Amino acid sequence: DAKTTQPNSMESNEEEPVHLPCNHSTISGTDYIHWYRQLPSQGPEYVIHGLTSNVNNRMASLAIAEDRKSSTLILHRATLRDAAVYYCILFNFGNEKLTFGTGTRLTIIP
Amino acid sequence: DGGITQSPKYLFRKEGQNVTLSCEQNLNHDAMYWYRQDPGQGLRLIYYSQIVNDFQKGDIAEGYSVSREKKESFPLTVTSAQKNPTAFYLCASSSGVDEAFFGQGTRLTVV
């Protein structure tokens, strides 16, 4: 199974953009890149996903490298409510296996 | 409202007992998942099911069992063979490559 690598923790100032990196050098052609975030004692919440092209939604943007071996989740203007653990996941279209890594703990500084 | 429901929220088990965690979804999703989360750690996949009457082991299936007799339901049994069952358990469902929806979790404690 393809794996993802993320920094353990990151800090950002409130109202500033945040760029959360993810490496997935062994990604296969049928792997979709998903991002979820989790607040303490809650289930993860979907943020965004993509295959090859950059994606935007109301929560964030996803920038995918041309070779698909890395991606970046972009929060355009961080708020205190964005403080969470962010998981970058490869979802395989063939076997539908959804495996989480260790994630990045994002701290927002007021 | 459509969603995924886990019950109970808190569960206490005596050592040596089996216990079953419930997961129900009304999203008409084919795929369902069970994860275990220990304090300060990420989610680890226990079992997943792509379709009714079929399921596959995840990364930490030992000591756990599941069934998928109905599309809406994917119960997880924590057996006495699981030596360290105290953890936060999360259930999820998805309809292919789109977003997965998670329940609010069951916190299991062995007493």
Side-chain angles (χ1 to χ4, degrees), chain B residues 27-65:
Chain B
L27 300 166
N28 199 35
H29 287 168
D30 285 315
M32 296 188 74
Y33 307 82
W34 272 107
Y35 297 89
R36 169 183 172 137
Q37 188 172 36
D38 293 288
Q41 305 297 313
L43 282 71
R44 291 186 289 170
L45 183 63
I46 305 172
Y47 270 98
Y48 67 107
S49 168
Q50 292 176 269
I51 199 167
V52 174
N53 293 322
D54 188 39
F55 48 83
Q56 286 78 41
K57 292 182 179 180
D59 300 319
I60 56 164
E62 185 175 352
Y64 300 97
S65 66

Side-chain angles (χ1 to χ4, degrees), chain A residues 9-110:
Chain A
S9 63
M10 290 184 63
E11 288 185 349
S12 180
N13 294 320
E14 193 177 9
E15 299 184 5
E16 295 289 323
V18 182
H19 291 236
L20 296 165
C22 181
N23 288 319
H24 28 78
S25 58
T26 59
I27 191 170
S28 73
T30 53
D31 284 332
Y32 284 71
I33 302 161
H34 280 231
W35 283 82
Y36 291 80
R37 68 182 185 183
Q38 186 181 25
L39 298 172
S41 299
Q42 294 187 22
E45 173 190 31
Y46 168 82
V47 177
I48 200 166
H49 79 279
L51 182 61
T52 57
S53 303
N54 295 344
V55 184
N56 300 298
N57 66 20
R58 62 175 182 81
M59 291 181 70
S61 295
L62 176 60
I64 301 173
E66 195 169 336
D67 63 5
R68 300 214 316 134
K69 292 185 177 181
S70 66
S71 60
T72 301
L73 178 69
I74 303 165
L75 306 178
H76 295 287
R77 189 170 172 269
T79 69
L80 296 178
R81 289 176 297 178
D82 292 322
V85 178
Y86 285 78
Y87 294 98
C88 169
I89 300 150
L90 298 183
F91 180 86
N92 186 274
F93 180 71
N95 64 23
E96 296 188 85
K97 192 174 183 182
L98 190 63
T99 304
F100 283 68
T102 54
T104 297
R105 183 174 300 278
L106 176 64
T107 300
I108 304 299
I109 302 168

